[in-house]
Amino acid sequence: MKYLKINTENNADLELLQNAVLQLKGVQSVEIIDEENPESELKKAFAKTKEQLKKGDYETLVNDIFDIITKNNKK
């Protein structure tokens, strides 16, 4: 898998950009990451994990963790 990094201006409409990129052939997913505020991404991840544990969705939780580990090893 290859990644494309796009740097935007502060006033860019990220949702519109995300939708436009998703329309391109071959694009599987688009993720918006705020490098200036990595804590927000961490909070989202913990909130998702908390909900998965509440629902007893252990398989998805383990798969998500495995994806993170293997994604970091590819870099």
Side-chain angles (χ1 to χ4, degrees), residues 6-71:
I6 300 173
N7 294 313
T8 60
E9 296 177 353
N10 290 336
N11 61 349
D13 186 344
L14 298 180
E15 188 173 327
L16 183 63
L17 179 61
Q18 182 178 19
N19 289 335
V21 173
L22 281 170
Q23 299 303 312
L24 298 172
K25 183 179 179 181
V27 175
Q28 185 177 19
S29 66
V30 177
E31 182 178 354
I32 298 172
I33 299 171
D34 186 356
E35 289 181 348
E36 293 179 10
N37 190 8
E39 185 177 316
S40 65
E41 293 300 316
L42 190 57
K43 284 182 182 178
K44 287 181 199 176
F46 278 121
K48 181 179 177 183
T49 301
K50 187 176 178 182
E51 288 301 313
Q52 288 171 324
L53 289 172
K54 281 183 182 178
K55 294 177 183 176
D57 189 4
Y58 303 111
E59 183 177 346
T60 304
L61 176 61
V62 170
N63 288 339
D64 289 347
I65 292 170
F66 183 75
D67 287 344
I68 291 168
I69 292 169
T70 57
K71 183 177 180 182

